[in-house]
């Protein structure tokens, strides 16, 4: 594949003709109106680009030179198609006829942009290359037509900027050489007194070996002949993925310590020998290694309204995830965020999958699969700016971005309401909300403006108690209602959902499988990430928490002064969920008023293997009797299921708990929790028995019958299994059975 050698000339656009018929795109028939900025190599059949009707304008990217065979770069053609679509009046659909499209960064659109949680004010990365740019448009659909878009280099796949009523749908996309190396330990052992590993890396991730170091190489740019990126050994960050255990987590990287030699074996394999003789124990694990610079978002929604992303197969998100920034009404529905299984890769996102930073209206995330991120799956928050100065005018504050990865974009617009918050207590300053009158600060697209500081004038005097370094300010106008329903979360090394918004939140009917940190995390942070703010109405309902980490649900604002009379958060309801857990805490809640845990079901992951049937005589003769008994094979869980710190009005009620759980709530004040209908003890252990009354069943009573006391009567030669069943608050639970072989010789297998 090669980039075009020169920018093809634009031909004169034919005039738009109004028609009253429904638009039907044709690649062969003449069109009433043709928007065909052809390239020199465009065939006559490809010159039909778009037709306009009262209903819709269809812009076909192939008419502008896009190559759906996947042989040539289509970035410039797509850019020209988008510019033409921008001229259309009324609804417009940009169509990618089904095929494969290559998009390289060199001829894609470029914009100076500053994006939350990325590279902050770093000027090295201020210009972003964008594959599909929807800019200053209205009522537009990007229709992939079932196509595949293959991206190269370090790009934003698509961006929606200052636009409204936008739908992006129906295509898959991937990156040829992600800036993550997923190295699998395919072989390991000891040879000639030296430990070794053989690492297998996916196609596309090139490397070279010299001086006992490996240099990972990104794809070679066809324009410069140089790789788009490179990194050495383990680079700066590693997380581990265990395909067999179906988990991913952050951890140390031993691959390049104590190296004696390295050899490129060919076939995407690298042999590393060590100076030690201890055999590695990590065969089968995948070390996911990368640099840490979030140079660009994979997707950006900025100053836009009513944007929907639907039906995408997102194979890899470079740099960051889908970022919504000072926009309104974002919907992400029915997408799959997961690597192509044939790629040999397991990393689908360089960082988060979805980040909504300062969005108003409603954020809906429904019916998606999130599989294989390097950070949180979903993070929805505002941004606290710290007060850095008090000018003479009491209606004015100077403010600053405090986290180095967030800067450069506007945080307030005239007319917005704000809340000023004491960092120590996270309590808002009393009195009516201040409204923004004017802002002198970042523009989001101009490095000549301040990037980290701003001066904001308000409609009222700010109290003198608001001092520099001790208070932060949140834009409360840009806080969304949130709906997260019907999603599946897998292979996430951190949290499933982070959410901090004062509007209603519904987290419902999701499956969280194997989260390494809290499945749901509610913070409000004025010290580290500066992600705001409090919650007031959160419903966590009908979710399945499978193999979760501890705690499963975490409420942890950063207030340094914790006072139950001044909680940060309010109104959190955890209801009707299914927890299937190891020895973990279910709920850890700091500084929240009104938090309930009701009608949930909590079961042990090992509930069917935690006890087993045993007998001294597994091979009785016909007519003989023997005894079976139930024996615990696991220990009761000892972790307190609940913990409250500086919280009040907490309710635990009408839940169903499995055997062997510790129904304990740890408190910091005796009046924090009300327990109704459950046996949860405050500040004391209440460990439910692992085994209750046991009953027995025989799979074949004709061979051997068993009574309620575990007495087995052998009858006729043959084999049967005797299963113990004990009672629990979740109903009967069966354990591991024992096999009874009637009439078998003592030397037979299983009879010893």
């Amino acid at each position: 594949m090669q980039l075009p050698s020169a920018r093809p000339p634009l031909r004169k656009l034919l005039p738009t003709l109004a028609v009253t018929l429904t638009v039907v795109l044709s690649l062969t028939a003449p069109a009433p109106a043709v928007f065909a900025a052809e390239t020199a190599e465009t065939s006559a059949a490809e010159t039909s680009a778009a037709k306009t009707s009262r209903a819709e304008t269809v812009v076909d990217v192939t008419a502008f030179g896009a190559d759906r065979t996947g042989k040539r770069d289509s970035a410039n053609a797509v850019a020209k198609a988008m510019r033409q679509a921008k001229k259309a009046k009324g609804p417009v659909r940009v169509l990618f006829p089904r095929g494969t499209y290559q998009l390289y960064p060199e001829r894609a659109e470029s914009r100076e942009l500053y994006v939350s949680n990325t590279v902050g004010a770093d000027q090295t990365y201020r210009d972003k290359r964008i594959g599909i740019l929807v800019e200053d448009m209205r009522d537009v659909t990007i229709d992939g037509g079932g196509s595949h878009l293959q991206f190269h280099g370090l790009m934003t796949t698509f961006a929606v900027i200052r636009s409204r009523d936008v739908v992006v749908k129906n295509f898959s996309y991937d990156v040829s050489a992600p800036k993550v190396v997923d190295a699998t330990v395919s072989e390991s052992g000891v040879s000639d007194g030296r430990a070794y590993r053989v690492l297998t890396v996916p196609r596309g991730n090139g490397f070279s070996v010299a001086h006992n170091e490996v240099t990972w190489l990104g794809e070679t740019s066809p324009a410069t002949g140089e790789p788009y990126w490179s990194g050495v050994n383990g680079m700066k960050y590693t997380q581990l993925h265990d395909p067999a255990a179906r988990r991913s987590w952050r951890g140390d990287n031993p691959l390049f310590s104590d190296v004696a030699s390295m050899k490129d074996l060919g076939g995407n394999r690298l042999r590393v020998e060590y100076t030690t003789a201890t055999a590695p124990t990590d065969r089968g694990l995948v070390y996911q290694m990368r640099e840490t610079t979030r140079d660009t978002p994979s997707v950006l929604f900025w100053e836009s309204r009513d944007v929907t992303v639907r039906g995408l197969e997102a194979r890899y998100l470079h740099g960051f995830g889908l970022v919504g920034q000072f926009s309104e009404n974002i919907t992400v529905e029915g997408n799959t965020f997961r690597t192509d299984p044939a790629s040999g890769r397991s990393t689908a996102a360089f960082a988060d999958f979805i980040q909504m930073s300062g969005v108003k209206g409603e954020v809906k995330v429904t019916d998606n699969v999130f599989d294989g991120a390097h950070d949180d799956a979903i993070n929805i928050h505002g941004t606290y700016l710290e007060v850095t100065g008090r000018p003479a005018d009491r209606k004015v504050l100077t403010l600053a971005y405090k986290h180095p990865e967030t800067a450069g974009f506007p945080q307030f617009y005239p007319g917005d309401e704000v809340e000023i918050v004491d960092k120590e207590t996270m309590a808002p300053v009393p009195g009516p909300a201040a409204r923004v009158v004017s802002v002198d600060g970042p523009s989001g697209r101009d490095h000549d403006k301040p990037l980290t500081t701003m001066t904001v004038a308000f409609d009222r005097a700010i109290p003198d108690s608001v001092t520099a370094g001790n208070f932060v300010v949140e834009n409360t106008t840009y806080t969304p209602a949130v709906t997260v329903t019907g999603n599946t979360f897998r292979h996430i090394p951190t949290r499933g959902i982070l959410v901090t918004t004062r509007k209603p939140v519904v987290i419902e009917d999701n499956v969280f499988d194997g989260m390494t940190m809290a499945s749901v995390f509610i913070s409000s942070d004025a010290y580290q990430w500066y992600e705001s703010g409090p919650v007031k109405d959160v419903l966590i309902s009908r979710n399945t928490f499978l193999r979760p980490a501890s705690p499963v649900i975490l409420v942890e604002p950063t207030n340094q002064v914790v006072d139950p009379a001044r909680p940060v958060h309010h109104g959190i309801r955890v209801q009707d969920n299914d927890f299937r857990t190891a020895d973990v805490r279910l709920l850890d809640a700091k500084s929240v008023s009104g938090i309930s845990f009701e009608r949930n079901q909590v079961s042990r992951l090992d509930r069917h293997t935690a006890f087993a049937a045993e007998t001294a005589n597994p091979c009785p003769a016909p007519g003989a009797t023997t005894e079976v008994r139930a024996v615990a094979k696991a220990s009761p869980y000892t972790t307190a299921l609940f913990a409250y710190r500086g919280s009040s009005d907490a309710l635990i009620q009408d839940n169903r708990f499995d055997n062997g759980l510790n129904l304990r709530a740890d408190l910091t004040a005796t009046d924090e929790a009300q327990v109704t209908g459950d046996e949860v003890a405050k500040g004391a252990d209440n460990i439910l028995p692992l085994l209750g009354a046991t009953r027995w069943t025989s799979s074949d009573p004709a061979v051997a019958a068993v009574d309620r006391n575990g007495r087995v009567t052998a009858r006729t030669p043959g084999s049967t299994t005797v299963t113990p069943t004990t009672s629990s608050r979740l109903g009967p639970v069966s354990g591991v059975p024992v096999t009874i072989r009637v009439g078998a010789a003592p030397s037979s297998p299983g009879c010893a």
Side-chain angles (χ1 to χ4, degrees):
M1 287 174 285
Q2 295 183 351
L3 294 171
S5 58
R7 183 181 296 273
L10 290 176
R11 294 187 179 180
K12 185 176 180 179
L13 299 176
L14 297 181
T16 302
L17 301 179
V19 295
T20 58
L21 299 176
T22 302
V23 174
V24 179
L25 184 66
S26 171
L27 295 178
T28 57
V34 180
F35 298 151
E38 298 175 60
T39 65
E41 48 281 274
T42 302
S43 69
E46 292 172 323
T47 59
S48 296
K51 297 189 236 179
T52 302
S53 76
R54 294 175 184 174
E56 186 180 62
T57 299
V58 178
V59 177
D60 179 342
V61 298
T62 63
F64 296 81
D67 177 16
R68 61 178 173 177
T69 70
K71 295 179 181 178
R72 291 180 287 109
D73 176 32
S74 293
N76 187 46
V78 170
K80 288 190 289 184
M82 292 305 302
R83 292 186 208 119
Q84 184 58 54
K86 188 174 179 177
K87 300 176 182 178
K89 303 295 183 182
V92 60
R93 179 161 59 101
V94 178
L95 176 65
F96 288 76
R98 190 177 184 91
T100 297
Y101 298 84
Q102 309 290 339
L103 291 101
Y104 285 80
E106 285 81 0
R107 301 187 68 186
E109 294 280 21
S110 177
R111 294 291 185 273
E112 180 177 352
L113 294 170
Y114 298 89
V115 181
S116 174
N117 292 77
T118 57
V119 289
D122 190 336
Q123 294 297 283
T124 306
Y125 307 98
R126 73 189 187 201
D127 296 320
K128 274 67 169 173
R129 292 286 179 171
I130 304 167
I132 304 171
L133 176 60
V134 180
E135 185 179 50
D136 299 311
M137 298 179 70
R138 182 170 181 174
D139 204 354
V140 58
T141 297
I142 307 300
D143 185 354
S147 296
H148 178 75
L149 277 57
Q150 190 72 19
F151 288 84
H152 303 266
L154 309 177
M155 297 179 65
T156 290
T157 56
F158 60 91
V160 180
I161 299 174
R162 297 183 303 277
S163 298
R164 62 181 298 180
D165 301 316
V166 178
V167 177
V168 181
K169 68 176 186 177
N170 197 21
F171 60 88
S172 62
Y173 69 89
D174 204 348
V175 174
S176 291
K179 201 176 179 180
V180 178
V181 178
D182 293 340
T184 301
V185 181
S186 54
E187 299 177 33
S188 63
V190 177
S191 177
D192 296 328
R194 285 182 173 176
Y196 73 91
R197 293 180 177 94
V198 174
L199 307 179
T200 301
V201 300
R203 299 184 305 275
N205 284 126
F207 61 86
S208 64
V209 175
H211 310 297
N212 287 350
E213 286 189 339
V214 57
T215 300
W216 308 107
L217 301 170
E219 185 182 13
T220 299
S221 165
T224 67
E226 298 295 325
Y228 287 112
W229 63 269
S230 64
V232 176
N233 290 346
M235 296 187 273
K236 293 182 180 178
Y237 171 88
T238 296
Q239 69 182 41
L240 290 85
H241 170 62
D242 187 337
R246 297 177 292 114
R247 283 189 183 274
S248 297
W249 66 95
R250 293 173 171 178
D252 295 330
N253 186 342
L255 299 183
F256 306 104
S257 299
D258 303 316
V259 173
S261 66
M262 285 189 184
K263 183 178 181 181
D264 182 350
L265 300 178
N268 301 98
R269 295 188 306 150
L270 172 69
R271 182 182 175 98
V272 184
E273 292 191 350
Y274 302 94
T275 58
T276 65
T278 303
T281 59
D282 53 2
R283 183 180 297 188
L285 293 187
V286 183
Y287 289 84
Q288 302 171 339
M289 303 171 290
R290 62 172 169 84
E291 299 296 332
T292 55
T293 302
R294 300 173 174 179
D295 52 70
T296 191
S298 177
V299 173
L300 175 63
F301 314 120
W302 181 40
E303 295 185 334
S304 294
R305 176 179 174 184
D306 300 322
V307 180
T308 298
V309 177
R310 178 188 304 124
L312 301 190
E313 295 277 345
R315 302 302 194 183
Y316 176 74
L317 281 65
H318 168 68
F320 205 28
L322 277 65
V323 179
Q325 183 169 285
F326 283 86
S327 293
E328 181 175 1
N329 299 335
I330 305 294
T331 299
V332 181
E333 63 182 12
N335 306 283
T336 299
F337 299 91
R338 180 177 58 200
T339 60
D340 180 353
S343 69
R345 306 196 314 254
S346 52
T347 296
F350 190 91
D352 297 5
F353 278 122
I354 292 178
Q355 175 108 189
M356 295 289 130
S357 175
V359 173
K360 66 179 179 179
E362 186 170 9
V363 172
K364 295 182 180 178
V365 184
T366 62
D367 301 323
N368 304 281
V369 173
F370 298 101
D371 187 332
H374 270 221
D375 211 325
D376 310 315
I378 298 173
N379 193 350
I380 301 170
H381 62 87
T383 302
Y384 282 130
L385 273 75
E386 189 166 281
V387 176
T388 56
R390 294 295 311 262
D393 188 338
R394 295 183 65 240
K395 294 183 179 180
V396 176
L397 293 175
T398 57
L399 307 174
Y401 286 108
K402 296 301 291 182
H403 194 280
E405 289 186 337
T406 295
F409 57 94
Q411 192 63 219
F412 306 98
Y413 302 97
D416 291 348
E417 286 191 352
V418 306
E419 185 173 84
I420 303 173
V421 175
D422 186 327
K423 290 180 64 174
E424 285 280 308
T425 64
M426 303 291 287
V429 172
R435 192 177 295 273
V436 175
V437 173
S438 65
V439 183
D440 182 12
S443 69
R445 52 182 176 176
D446 179 8
H447 61 274
D448 291 331
K449 298 284 289 182
L451 295 174
T452 60
T453 61
M454 63 191 71
T455 301
V456 183
F458 300 97
D459 65 346
R460 65 192 68 233
I462 305 302
D464 293 337
S465 60
V466 176
T467 54
N470 300 309
F471 289 80
V472 290
V473 180
E474 179 187 20
N475 186 337
T476 57
T477 296
Y478 279 85
T479 55
V482 173
T483 301
V484 181
T485 60
N487 303 283
T488 299
F489 301 87
R490 293 193 295 257
H491 302 131
I492 305 297
T494 51
R495 286 67 57 109
I497 299 171
L498 280 76
V499 61
T500 53
T501 176
R502 63 193 64 223
K503 302 291 175 55
V505 176
V506 176
I507 300 171
E508 203 164 59
D509 298 316
N510 303 285
V511 176
F512 300 85
D513 185 6
M515 300 297 103
T516 306
M517 298 182 189
S519 297
V520 178
F521 180 31
I522 297 169
S523 180
S524 193
D525 178 356
Y527 281 90
Q528 184 181 11
W529 285 94
Y530 287 81
E531 294 178 353
S532 60
V535 301
K536 298 181 182 295
D537 181 1
V538 177
L539 175 64
I540 302 171
S541 177
R542 301 201 306 266
N543 303 284
T544 298
F545 298 96
L546 178 63
R547 308 183 301 151
S550 183
V552 185
I553 298 170
L554 174 63
V555 183
E556 182 82 15
T558 63
N559 50 318
Q560 307 300 295
V561 176
V562 181
D563 181 355
R566 292 193 297 174
V568 175
H569 297 298
H570 303 265
I572 301 173
R573 291 161 290 151
V574 182
Q575 300 175 345
D576 304 301
N577 299 282
D578 183 2
F579 296 85
R580 307 178 198 176
T581 79
D583 192 1
V584 302
R585 178 160 292 153
L586 303 178
L587 175 63
D588 192 323
K590 172 189 174 186
S591 197
V592 55
S593 172
I595 181 165
S596 64
F597 191 91
E598 301 176 89
R599 301 187 305 278
N600 300 285
Q601 177 170 296
V602 186
S603 58
R604 290 174 58 123
L605 285 170
D606 65 351
R607 65 191 316 258
H608 292 291
T609 58
F611 65 100
E614 290 185 354
T615 180
N617 182 12
C619 299
T625 61
T626 188
E627 302 286 337
V628 289
R629 61 192 182 101
V631 178
K633 295 296 184 180
S635 300
Y637 294 168
T638 58
T639 301
L641 293 181
F642 307 95
Y644 301 92
R645 292 162 293 147
S647 296
S648 61
D649 192 20
L651 176 66
I652 304 170
Q653 179 174 273
D654 297 333
N655 301 284
R656 301 172 65 215
F657 297 106
D658 208 350
N659 293 346
L661 300 178
N662 190 359
L663 275 59
R664 172 178 176 148
D666 288 330
L667 311 174
T668 55
T670 57
D671 59 348
E672 286 180 340
Q674 173 189 350
V675 179
T676 303
D678 293 341
E679 297 178 21
V680 176
K682 300 178 183 180
D685 288 337
N686 181 21
I687 300 175
L688 300 180
L690 194 60
L691 272 170
T694 305
R695 62 183 179 85
W696 303 90
T697 55
S698 171
S699 64
D700 191 347
V703 172
V706 60
D707 66 17
R708 66 174 61 187
N709 297 315
R711 179 181 291 274
V712 177
T713 301
R715 291 179 173 170
T716 60
S719 179
T720 186
T721 56
V722 176
T723 302
T725 301
T726 191
S727 59
S728 78
R729 287 172 168 81
L730 304 183
V733 54
S734 298
V736 179
V738 64
T739 299
I740 303 296
R741 296 174 175 84
V742 177
S747 60
S748 300
C751 293

